[in-house]
Amino acid sequence: MSEDRVSRFGKADEATLPDDIKAIYETNRAKIGFVPNVFRAYAKRPEHFRAFMDYHDVLMKGAGGLSRVEREAIVVAISAENVCQYCVTAHGAALRILGKDPILADQIAINWRTADLTPRLRAILEFASAVNEPGFFASDSDVEQMQAQGFSDNDIWDIAAIAAFFGFSNRMAGMMDLRPNAEFYSMGR
Amino acid sequence: MSEDRVSRFGKADEATLPDDIKAIYETNRAKIGFVPNVFRAYAKRPEHFRAFMDYHDVLMKGAGGLSRVEREAIVVAISAENVCQYCVTAHGAALRILGKDPILADQIAINWRTADLTPRLRAILEFASAVNEPGFFASDSDVEQMQAQGFSDNDIWDIAAIAAFFGFSNRMAGMMDLRPNAEFYSMGR
Amino acid sequence: MSEDRVSRFGKADEATLPDDIKAIYETNRAKIGFVPNVFRAYAKRPEHFRAFMDYHDVLMKGAGGLSRVEREAIVVAISAENVCQYCVTAHGAALRILGKDPILADQIAINWRTADLTPRLRAILEFASAVNEPGFFASDSDVEQMQAQGFSDNDIWDIAAIAAFFGFSNRMAGMMDLRPNAEFYSMGR
Amino acid sequence: MSEDRVSRFGKADEATLPDDIKAIYETNRAKIGFVPNVFRAYAKRPEHFRAFMDYHDVLMKGAGGLSRVEREAIVVAISAENVCQYCVTAHGAALRILGKDPILADQIAINWRTADLTPRLRAILEFASAVNEPGFFASDSDVEQMQAQGFSDNDIWDIAAIAAFFGFSNRMAGMMDLRPNAEFYSMGR
Amino acid sequence: MSEDRVSRFGKADEATLPDDIKAIYETNRAKIGFVPNVFRAYAKRPEHFRAFMDYHDVLMKGAGGLSRVEREAIVVAISAENVCQYCVTAHGAALRILGKDPILADQIAINWRTADLTPRLRAILEFASAVNEPGFFASDSDVEQMQAQGFSDNDIWDIAAIAAFFGFSNRMAGMMDLRPNAEFYSMGR
Amino acid sequence: MSEDRVSRFGKADEATLPDDIKAIYETNRAKIGFVPNVFRAYAKRPEHFRAFMDYHDVLMKGAGGLSRVEREAIVVAISAENVCQYCVTAHGAALRILGKDPILADQIAINWRTADLTPRLRAILEFASAVNEPGFFASDSDVEQMQAQGFSDNDIWDIAAIAAFFGFSNRMAGMMDLRPNAEFYSMGR
């Protein structure tokens, strides 16, 4: 691929971005040195950009019982199940950095079931993976089993919401052939 | 089930709803005579309610090349593939009403592939159904085939976004065992 | 579709029907006001018509431990799993009428697993659905589990026979593109 | 297994058989030296026995464009796809005898796709195998492709009916754990 | 097929075989009267022939807790799951001869789950079949369950190795369209 | 996991290794600084070690039309499809080093279909992936299509053999819970 390819539909023209999105570009450049391609692709349609990022932030940064590392682990595991080139790469980097662990993200990306996980993270990923199955619905005993392991109703909601939202995001990336920025591959190693 | 069951996590306490959500309840009561259970379940967590409904409205009511009937047809087809009790019922009613057709929604709910569809709606549902597959990504020729049938890049984006967002929504309904309001079954027949 | 389309192979010429089949047409007109398309399609080949209807009646109307509502519920559940346009529509109508319930048939048609079922009907549909799987065979413990819930050997036979016979019928409908009569959609609502 | 085991529900008591079924037993003994276990199992319920055998004979012995060898080849191929112990064994014997070929039945039982088939039999089995898929329906082009290879509408119907009826029969055998008579294994070799 | 067809890539030219492979041909002719086609196909590439046969002999004839009949039963069961025309036929013959049983190989070839097996052979084939699944890995409890039934660590290794090696072999046969020698069909009956 | 865990069956006692295997340990230590765990696990059974490594070397280092990078790319792609923790990690490192490319191995590990591949490597991986499917067999047109792209019969054989052999190897790793050496994760980045 060309180094500049962002998606099959190209990328937003940065010169004409609305101010709120321009600000997000600047924040990213200041923090990690580049603008992730997911921003550059979605910014072509500002209404979609805002709805996606708002929901993303509620799920990934909102208050709740799951740590940020656990949330990123869900994203990597589900994106790997859905073989999403962009999301495994970008969120693998995030998981390495947030988790201060250069190995776990790779293990989860290959197969979370044989990764070296704590029992708590294993329980989280088992439920997340069930949510990712086509035709998923939770039985009462599925929910009781999670509760017995210490997860609250909101935790259960959050695990499912993160898993299912990234199933949505994975498909959007697959529709637009979203390409990972080259920087992601070595971040946090 | 008890007639009052909304979800396995119950429903929001209407007395303590934030004003913006209370207003949405009232709008629904005025328009269709009841509050759909998806509102009553999500309202337990206002931040989630708002993020979900904002994105929903961008996708289902935003400007674009797809008619509202076509958008609802995508929702019914995908929700049927994902065997989602709530979404097939609620959006089947919406499709009957918007489409002024008491039969098409049932046909799509059973099997969109053998439903009586226009060539345009068939093309839309074929692409939407491909998006709903696990591990979906579009090849260049998939996209070119849609373009050759007259769909713009934004149309392709919108079909994928609606299909994938409702894959997310179907899983949320399955997680919380969201029950359809009884009113939906006969609406628009 | 044209309103008159019965199947891709058309329909029998009513003028030349054998008397026994003509009588069945008349019985249907007297009872429900029209001749279901399955009769009009099969009547092109009287030997097939008779063999199909005889077996159908042994299974659906013969003596046995399953109620007629339970038998129709099996047909709707299996036909929905097999996404059969004709059978879900026609037998959904039958289930609404026999069961005096406008909602249950729709729930089973969407997903019997998340429908509001009695424990007995849930057990019946679980076994019927197992029978519908490719490569099905029952283990001794599968059978013992049914017996422990009060089903006789003949009940087990009947559940399996109805499920498997309609798997056959679903495929025949799919082969001939059998179209539901428009009347079915609103019957029993 | 005990040599005498016919099915998990045993077998009919020969002393009390209705005369028509008794006659069928006698015909089999005269012709092949034993009573196939499918008869001895179904005879426990004479109404089912008769409906099954009547439909079987319409499909397997009725007038039509398919030879008896072709019909048995469909049964072996479909029963192999459905991994049915009884039907592959019994109809494999029938195919060896009718086809005067000790090898073809084994090849079809292992994998009809890599068996040594005539183009005509390959076309028949391809369509039969499509019918055996869950959720089968034929598109117009599927049917046109068969017609272009010289199959009449009735041939198409017959291929589908035999494939689908034995999908039903395979499941019945799996439900009752129907055991092949030992004689079948060496017949026609 | 032509009687002489060995594979889509033909067979080795016997005149130019290396001495070690020529010796293997002679041994086979002396013992069973013909050279199995797997030898004649692989001998086109002597390095591959030797690596394949060496590994084969370690697995099938090496010291260990599994009998030769049990090892051949694994090969037939796995090759049947992988619908491998050559391996089911050739190893079915081997199992009939080694096991002195004309029926068991056919039953396993059709469906090992409904074959008449000892509890020990059933446990072996259950584990072998799990190994054959895509994405297989054994959990600790899978292994403990085997140990509880009396299998040593080396037995578990051997079952997995035979199952997985023949998954490899089945695919090689499928790649080269390896045809069974006609002699195999009747051997041991 | 403990840092020292090699597999669920432990590892060979290095003090008692046969000389040929001891020499392989030494070669690895000299070349990459450590002994890959696959050696330490297989060395518990020297006959298996030798058969495995001999075949491995024929396939991965033998003469032929495929480059070593192409061979490793097949291994990573197939091991990723089979979600094999050890093989994706170890051969991902090999591919990074041999290919002098820190990114391609990660892309192939996530999803070779959306990786940035040359047309030749894409053709190789498409055929390798087909081989990895359960029930694989190549049709004449599959082979002709490869030939039309410039692959010789031996190339086709080699692609299939590497893909299928690592399907075997992946299952062995899954059976023994083979753990990647920590060194692999950062090699070649």
Side-chain angles (χ1 to χ4, degrees), chain C residues 60 66-81 87-88 91-92 94-96 98-99 104-105 107-109 112 115 117-118 120-122 124-126 128-129 159 162-163 166:
Chain C
M60 299 303 284
L66 301 177
S67 72
R68 288 200 57 187
V69 167
E70 287 165 346
R71 299 182 204 199
E72 289 292 345
I74 296 171
V75 180
V76 175
I78 296 307
S79 300
E81 290 188 351
C87 303
V88 173
H91 289 273
L95 180 52
R96 286 194 298 271
L98 285 169
L104 183 64
Q107 287 194 351
I108 292 175
W112 67 263
L117 305 177
T118 62
R120 176 177 158 93
L121 187 51
R122 183 168 301 279
I124 289 171
L125 296 187
E126 275 172 2
S129 177
I159 296 168
I162 294 168
F166 277 89

Side-chain angles (χ1 to χ4, degrees), chain E:
Chain E
M1 74 183 157
S2 149
E3 295 235 344
D4 294 338
R5 182 176 166 93
V6 168
S7 83
R8 67 160 38 93
F9 298 142
K11 60 181 173 181
D13 175 4
E14 199 168 336
T16 63
L17 287 178
D19 286 348
D20 60 326
I21 296 178
K22 199 174 297 185
I24 290 170
Y25 274 45
E26 292 315 313
T27 305
N28 272 279
R29 285 203 176 97
K31 196 168 150 198
I32 59 172
F34 64 97
V35 183
N37 283 344
V38 67
F39 292 100
R40 300 203 287 171
Y42 269 82
K44 291 191 71 174
R45 303 184 74 185
E47 291 307 313
H48 289 255
F49 182 106
R50 292 182 191 113
F52 185 90
M53 298 307 159
D54 286 352
Y55 214 150
H56 174 277
D57 288 353
V58 168
L59 296 174
M60 298 303 284
K61 301 180 185 169
L66 302 177
S67 72
R68 287 200 56 187
V69 168
E70 288 166 346
R71 299 182 204 200
E72 289 292 345
I74 296 171
V75 179
V76 175
I78 296 306
S79 300
E81 290 188 352
N82 293 337
V83 290
C84 180
Q85 196 69 249
Y86 184 84
C87 303
V88 173
T89 306
H91 290 273
L95 179 52
R96 286 194 297 271
I97 292 169
L98 286 169
K100 298 182 181 23
D101 182 333
I103 287 181
L104 183 64
D106 280 4
Q107 287 195 350
I108 292 175
I110 294 169
N111 186 351
W112 67 263
R113 293 178 193 275
T114 53
D116 295 301
L117 304 177
T118 62
R120 176 178 158 92
L121 187 50
R122 183 168 301 278
I124 289 171
L125 297 187
E126 276 172 1
F127 188 68
S129 177
V131 170
N132 192 40
E133 289 293 304
F136 163 75
F137 65 94
S139 68
D140 289 347
S141 75
D142 292 334
V143 170
E144 285 157 16
Q145 200 176 324
M146 288 298 285
Q147 291 165 334
Q149 291 174 88
F151 296 98
S152 70
D153 290 358
N154 277 0
D155 291 343
I156 292 168
W157 175 313
D158 289 342
I159 296 167
I162 295 168
F165 185 83
F166 277 88
F168 161 49
S169 179
N170 296 158
R171 286 169 171 85
M172 291 301 287
M175 176 271 295
M176 63 176 76
D177 189 28
L178 190 63
R179 308 307 303 178
N181 307 60
E183 290 87 344
F184 283 130
Y185 293 93
S186 55
M187 286 172 72
R189 293 197 180 276

Side-chain angles (χ1 to χ4, degrees), chain B residues 7-188:
Chain B
S7 83
R8 67 159 40 91
F9 298 142
K11 60 181 174 181
D13 175 4
E14 201 168 335
T16 63
L17 288 178
D19 286 347
D20 60 326
I21 296 178
K22 198 172 298 184
I24 291 171
Y25 274 45
E26 292 315 314
T27 304
N28 272 280
R29 286 205 174 96
K31 195 169 152 198
I32 59 170
F34 64 97
V35 182
N37 283 344
V38 67
F39 292 99
R40 300 204 288 172
Y42 270 82
K44 291 192 70 175
R45 303 184 75 186
E47 290 307 312
H48 289 255
F49 181 106
R50 292 181 190 114
F52 186 89
M53 298 307 159
D54 286 352
Y55 214 150
H56 174 279
D57 288 354
V58 167
L59 296 173
M60 298 303 284
K61 301 179 185 171
L66 301 177
S67 72
R68 288 200 58 189
V69 167
E70 287 166 347
R71 299 181 205 201
E72 290 293 345
I74 296 171
V75 180
V76 175
I78 296 306
S79 300
E81 289 188 353
N82 293 337
V83 291
C84 179
Q85 198 68 248
Y86 184 85
C87 303
V88 173
T89 306
H91 289 273
L95 180 52
R96 286 193 298 271
I97 292 169
L98 286 168
K100 298 180 182 21
D101 182 332
I103 287 181
L104 183 66
D106 279 5
Q107 287 194 352
I108 293 175
I110 293 169
N111 187 350
W112 66 263
R113 293 179 194 275
T114 53
D116 294 302
L117 305 177
T118 62
R120 177 178 157 93
L121 186 50
R122 183 168 301 279
I124 289 171
L125 296 187
E126 274 172 2
F127 189 68
S129 176
V131 171
N132 192 40
E133 288 294 303
F136 163 76
F137 64 93
S139 67
D140 288 347
S141 75
D142 293 334
V143 170
E144 285 156 16
Q145 200 176 324
M146 289 297 286
Q147 291 166 335
Q149 292 175 87
F151 296 99
S152 70
D153 289 358
N154 276 0
D155 291 342
I156 292 169
W157 176 313
D158 288 342
I159 296 167
I162 294 168
F165 185 83
F166 278 88
F168 161 48
S169 179
N170 296 157
R171 286 169 172 84
M172 291 300 288
M175 176 271 294
M176 62 176 76
D177 189 27
L178 190 63
R179 309 305 304 178
N181 307 61
E183 289 87 344
F184 283 129
Y185 292 93
S186 55
M187 286 171 72

Side-chain angles (χ1 to χ4, degrees), chain A residues 1-16:
Chain A
M1 76 183 157
S2 152
E3 294 235 344
D4 294 337
R5 181 176 166 93
V6 167
S7 83
R8 67 160 39 95
F9 298 142
K11 60 181 174 182
D13 175 5
E14 201 169 334
T16 62

Side-chain angles (χ1 to χ4, degrees), chain D:
Chain D
M1 74 181 159
S2 151
E3 295 236 344
D4 293 339
R5 182 177 166 92
V6 167
S7 83
R8 66 160 41 92
F9 298 143
K11 60 180 174 184
D13 175 5
E14 200 168 335
T16 63
L17 288 178
D19 285 348
D20 59 327
I21 297 178
K22 199 174 295 184
I24 291 171
Y25 274 46
E26 291 316 312
T27 304
N28 272 279
R29 285 205 176 96
K31 193 168 153 199
I32 60 171
F34 63 98
V35 182
N37 283 343
V38 67
F39 292 99
R40 300 204 287 171
Y42 270 82
K44 291 191 70 174
R45 302 184 75 186
E47 290 308 312
H48 289 256
F49 182 106
R50 293 182 191 113
F52 185 89
M53 298 307 158
D54 286 352
Y55 214 150
H56 174 279
D57 288 354
V58 168
L59 297 173
M60 299 302 284
K61 301 180 185 169
L66 302 176
S67 73
R68 288 200 56 187
V69 167
E70 288 166 346
R71 299 181 203 200
E72 289 292 344
I74 296 170
V75 179
V76 175
I78 296 307
S79 300
E81 290 188 351
N82 293 337
V83 291
C84 179
Q85 198 67 249
Y86 184 85
C87 303
V88 173
T89 305
H91 289 272
L95 180 52
R96 286 194 299 271
I97 291 169
L98 286 168
K100 298 181 182 22
D101 183 332
I103 287 181
L104 183 65
D106 280 4
Q107 287 194 352
I108 292 175
I110 294 170
N111 186 350
W112 66 263
R113 293 178 194 275
T114 53
D116 295 303
L117 305 177
T118 63
R120 177 178 157 93
L121 187 50
R122 183 168 302 279
I124 289 171
L125 297 186
E126 276 172 1
F127 188 67
S129 177
V131 171
N132 193 40
E133 289 293 304
F136 163 76
F137 65 94
S139 67
D140 288 347
S141 76
D142 292 335
V143 170
E144 286 157 15
Q145 201 176 323
M146 289 298 285
Q147 290 166 334
Q149 291 175 87
F151 296 99
S152 70
D153 290 358
N154 276 0
D155 291 342
I156 293 168
W157 175 313
D158 288 341
I159 295 168
I162 294 168
F165 185 84
F166 277 89
F168 160 50
S169 179
N170 297 158
R171 286 169 171 84
M172 290 301 286
M175 176 271 294
M176 63 176 76
D177 189 28
L178 190 64
R179 309 306 304 176
N181 306 60
E183 289 87 343
F184 283 129
Y185 293 94
S186 55
M187 285 171 72
R189 293 196 180 276

Side-chain angles (χ1 to χ4, degrees), chain F residues 109-188:
Chain F
I110 294 169
N111 187 351
W112 67 263
R113 292 178 193 275
T114 53
D116 295 302
L117 305 177
T118 62
R120 177 178 157 92
L121 187 50
R122 183 168 301 280
I124 290 171
L125 297 186
E126 275 172 2
F127 188 68
S129 176
V131 171
N132 192 41
E133 289 294 303
F136 163 76
F137 65 94
S139 67
D140 289 348
S141 75
D142 292 334
V143 170
E144 285 157 15
Q145 200 176 325
M146 288 299 285
Q147 291 166 333
Q149 293 175 86
F151 296 99
S152 70
D153 289 358
N154 276 0
D155 291 343
I156 292 168
W157 176 311
D158 289 342
I159 295 167
I162 294 168
F165 184 83
F166 278 89
F168 161 48
S169 179
N170 297 157
R171 285 169 171 85
M172 290 300 287
M175 176 271 295
M176 63 177 75
D177 189 27
L178 190 63
R179 308 305 305 177
N181 306 62
E183 290 87 343
F184 283 129
Y185 293 94
S186 56
M187 286 171 72

